[in-house]
Amino acid sequence: MFSGLSAFPLTPMSEQGIDEAAFVRLIEQLVTANVDSIGVLGSTGNYAYLTMDGRARVVRLAIEHAGDVPVMVGIGALRTRDVLTLAEDAEVAGASGVLLAPMSYQKLLPDEVFGLYKTVTHALSVPLCVYDNPGTTQFIFSDELHGQIAHLPNVASIKIPGVPEDPTEARSRVEALRARIPSNVNLGVSGDAFAATGLNAGCDAWYSVIGGVFPATALAITRAAQAGNAQEATRLSKRLQPLWELFNESGGSLRVVAAAAELQGLAEPPCLPLPLKTLDKEGRRRLANLIDELDLS
Amino acid sequence: MFSGLSAFPLTPMSEQGIDEAAFVRLIEQLVTANVDSIGVLGSTGNYAYLTMDGRARVVRLAIEHAGDVPVMVGIGALRTRDVLTLAEDAEVAGASGVLLAPMSYQKLLPDEVFGLYKTVTHALSVPLCVYDNPGTTQFIFSDELHGQIAHLPNVASIKIPGVPEDPTEARSRVEALRARIPSNVNLGVSGDAFAATGLNAGCDAWYSVIGGVFPATALAITRAAQAGNAQEATRLSKRLQPLWELFNESGGSLRVVAAAAELQGLAEPPCLPLPLKTLDKEGRRRLANLIDELDLS
């Protein structure tokens, strides 16, 4: 796992609870599309908005319906003790790996983040992906800290938050980070607009938001890059520029992919937990046009 | 309530649970010092790190031991439905007011934040203080949005994150915000280093972190400002400059006041939930010296 396309599905939910049927539909769509792995309860999977019991339920449903596709499970929480519980729940349920962000309310210090990963990796029996997402966690990893954490047991991957736009700078960025980490730890790019550039620059995986709702579109980019066809991967990604712009104008990707799941009849609207809202009428109109014009699927 | 010194005590806790005896000691110290109000489960009260049940328990303990001192309760949560539950728990327990931050994992949009306050204020029967704390919530209020929210029912106060250092600029800042809000909504300053300047600039309250552990020290500053003795309030605050510096070097005030509670024998170390840590040996030595030299109490 942790290479190729890792698709991150939404966990659709309302004020009444998790929409389990919709979640299973999303998982089944990913299995049919034959993605390389599924990352449940990532940021797109709304892990932060669910109870411990709700998360355990989502994990069981995902693994039950994922067939042979490996499932990685987000185990981030504000408290170390909850992370440990979530890690155990994921392992018991049969997860192939776990994903851990240094989720914060009080901004964490580097020593605290290292302590979190140290405690958790020593308790694990499956591989862990370090989830570097300053936009939601408020924590900025230094390369030095990435290097220290990457040497802990069971660390298998780092999910990085994008790469520079310029291909040469992107390659330098990937190489600089790789120089700090053991060869058995790989790198996955996130921030969908950066995916083609990241894969072309040598990232092993794309931890993908659009992969969770438009797996065929994301697979086409991934497979082009994996085949060494950097130009085609870039072309396929640039074609989606209006979608990346909609992400930027909507406060990120989550509200857009939630609206996409709704528009495609995969989830009942509204499928995000309040106070979060999916796209308004105008945003939905734009998105519906994009799905049609760009043939997103 | 919502004027003068509002002291925000820590909720001491370990991996095993809330240290209820220590929390009660902190509340009793505030009652003895005769603070104007107590704000439990603020950021310093570690609201984000507790379960719903744990929070309800803290509220009951606080109100049981607060005597005649009004208690304001932090009801922030990532989901609107949890905020509504916490608001009801606080009201039933006898809280005099509630404090609500737009807590986030996904950065919230202004329309989402307005929706949160609208839903919650319509359900309330006690006054609400809007908690503006971009450092932990990632949300930056515009003055326009503050104005819109301040016109909702039951809004009584805004807890602002500091004021400019310059007294004239601080007064302009307070007046600009006041011009947007109804006259029945007051302003409270937070960020302890800004408190004297904020009170001198016309803020009605100081929502105080050090007030939770050094109430006499915080009261001296508050009473000087309330008596119109701006110079004395400023002098008393400037005296604490080494403490403000320790806050800055420790990733904020929380780790310092937690260590202070430990050093004073009010809480068992370590009293913060992992991955958060209180001060290291060197920090504790510095803090112990400051408590002594500055006669913090």
Side-chain angles (χ1 to χ4, degrees):
Chain A
M1 69 174 309
F2 301 138
S3 72
L5 180 69
S6 190
F8 278 62
L10 185 75
T11 310
M13 65 182 84
S14 70
E15 301 313 282
Q16 281 67 54
I18 299 165
D19 184 344
E20 296 191 1
F23 180 70
V24 169
R25 275 194 294 274
L26 288 166
I27 296 292
E28 287 172 343
Q29 179 178 267
L30 301 181
V31 174
T32 303
N34 210 14
V35 300
D36 297 311
S37 66
I38 296 175
V40 299
L41 297 174
S43 293
T44 304
N46 285 326
Y47 76 91
Y49 300 87
L50 290 166
T51 62
M52 302 288 278
D53 288 347
R55 291 172 70 163
R57 175 72 183 148
V58 166
V59 174
R60 285 195 298 274
L61 282 173
I63 291 166
E64 188 183 329
H65 293 272
D68 295 334
V69 182
V71 174
M72 178 165 72
V73 174
I75 58 170
L78 291 173
R79 294 189 67 166
T80 301
R81 72 174 193 181
D82 291 337
V83 175
L84 291 170
T85 303
L86 292 161
E88 199 180 337
D89 289 351
E91 286 180 348
V92 168
S96 298
V98 294
L99 174 71
L100 177 59
M103 189 182 170
S104 76
Y105 177 75
Q106 296 281 347
K107 275 182 197 166
L108 295 174
L109 300 175
D111 177 56
E112 293 169 338
V113 170
F114 183 75
L116 168 68
Y117 283 97
K118 189 175 173 188
T119 301
V120 175
T121 53
H122 280 87
L124 277 179
S125 59
V126 295
L128 176 138
C129 177
V130 175
Y131 187 2
D132 178 354
N133 187 351
T136 56
T137 65
Q138 308 191 68
F139 183 77
I140 295 173
F141 283 88
S142 66
D143 283 5
E144 188 189 354
L145 181 61
H146 267 314
Q148 288 164 353
I149 292 171
H151 283 85
L152 291 169
N154 295 309
V155 176
S157 183
I158 306 175
K159 179 180 187 295
I160 61 171
V163 290
E165 260 188 59
D166 176 76
T168 311
E169 285 174 36
R171 189 165 284 277
S172 302
R173 169 70 197 120
V174 169
E175 283 169 8
L177 189 51
R178 236 189 248 293
R180 298 271 192 167
I181 63 179
S183 59
N184 64 312
V185 175
N186 79 15
L187 296 179
V189 65
S190 58
D192 286 353
F194 304 103
T197 312
L199 291 168
N200 290 339
C203 286
D204 309 279
W206 173 15
Y207 296 116
S208 174
V209 175
I210 65 161
V213 67
F214 304 126
T217 301
L219 274 168
I221 296 173
T222 309
R223 296 297 177 243
Q226 286 178 317
N229 196 341
Q231 212 177 339
E232 176 65 1
T234 303
R235 187 188 71 78
L236 290 171
S237 174
K238 289 217 164 132
R239 235 187 111 242
L240 305 183
Q241 189 60 34
L243 184 62
W244 312 145
E245 281 163 19
L246 188 58
F247 283 9
N248 287 338
E249 293 168 33
S250 310
S253 54
L254 178 66
R255 297 169 185 86
V256 179
V257 292
E262 294 170 4
L263 285 169
Q264 293 182 297
L266 292 164
E268 283 286 315
C271 71
L272 289 179
L274 287 172
L276 297 173
K277 295 180 183 175
T278 57
L279 298 186
D280 63 11
K281 210 170 160 185
E282 168 60 15
R284 296 168 82 82
R285 196 192 54 73
R286 273 175 69 187
L287 178 60
N289 284 343
L290 288 180
I291 292 174
D292 192 38
E293 286 165 18
L294 301 173
D295 197 21
L296 303 174
S297 66
Chain B
M1 69 174 311
F2 303 137
S3 72
L5 179 68
S6 191
F8 278 60
L10 186 74
T11 309
M13 66 183 84
S14 71
E15 300 313 281
Q16 282 67 54
I18 299 164
D19 184 345
E20 296 191 0
F23 179 70
V24 168
R25 275 193 294 276
L26 288 166
I27 296 292
E28 287 172 344
Q29 179 177 267
L30 301 180
V31 173
T32 303
N34 209 13
V35 300
D36 298 310
S37 66
I38 296 174
V40 298
L41 297 174
S43 293
T44 304
N46 285 326
Y47 76 91
Y49 300 88
L50 289 166
T51 62
M52 301 288 279
D53 287 348
R55 291 172 72 163
R57 175 72 183 148
V58 166
V59 173
R60 286 194 300 273
L61 283 173
I63 291 168
E64 188 183 330
H65 293 272
D68 295 334
V69 182
V71 175
M72 178 166 71
V73 174
I75 58 169
L78 291 174
R79 294 188 66 165
T80 301
R81 73 174 193 181
D82 291 338
V83 175
L84 291 169
T85 302
L86 291 161
E88 200 180 336
D89 288 352
E91 287 179 348
V92 168
S96 298
V98 293
L99 174 72
L100 177 58
M103 188 183 172
S104 77
Y105 176 75
Q106 297 281 348
K107 276 183 196 165
L108 295 174
L109 301 175
D111 177 55
E112 293 169 340
V113 170
F114 183 76
L116 169 68
Y117 283 97
K118 187 174 173 191
T119 301
V120 174
T121 54
H122 280 87
L124 277 178
S125 58
V126 295
L128 175 138
C129 177
V130 175
Y131 186 3
D132 179 354
N133 187 349
T136 56
T137 65
Q138 308 191 68
F139 184 76
I140 296 174
F141 283 88
S142 65
D143 283 6
E144 188 190 352
L145 181 61
H146 267 315
Q148 288 164 353
I149 292 171
H151 282 85
L152 291 169
N154 296 309
V155 175
S157 184
I158 306 174
K159 179 180 187 296
I160 61 172
V163 290
E165 261 188 59
D166 176 76
T168 312
E169 284 174 37
R171 189 164 284 276
S172 302
R173 169 71 196 120
V174 169
E175 283 168 8
L177 190 50
R178 236 189 248 293
R180 298 272 191 167
I181 63 178
S183 59
N184 63 311
V185 175
N186 79 14
L187 296 178
V189 65
S190 59
D192 285 356
F194 303 103
T197 312
L199 291 167
N200 290 340
C203 285
D204 310 278
W206 172 14
Y207 296 115
S208 175
V209 174
I210 66 162
V213 68
F214 304 126
T217 302
L219 274 167
I221 295 173
T222 308
R223 297 295 178 243
Q226 287 179 315
N229 197 340
Q231 212 177 339
E232 176 65 1
T234 303
R235 187 189 70 78
L236 290 170
S237 174
K238 288 216 164 132
R239 236 186 110 243
L240 305 181
Q241 190 59 33
L243 184 62
W244 311 147
E245 281 163 19
L246 188 59
F247 283 8
N248 287 337
E249 292 167 33
S250 309
S253 54
L254 178 66
R255 297 168 184 85
V256 179
V257 292
E262 293 170 6
L263 285 169
Q264 294 183 297
L266 292 165
E268 283 288 315
C271 71
L272 289 179
L274 287 171
L276 297 173
K277 294 181 185 174
T278 57
L279 299 185
D280 62 12
K281 210 170 160 185
E282 167 58 15
R284 297 168 81 81
R285 196 193 52 74
R286 274 175 67 187
L287 177 61
N289 285 343
L290 288 180
I291 292 174
D292 192 39
E293 286 165 17
L294 301 173
D295 197 21
L296 303 174
S297 66

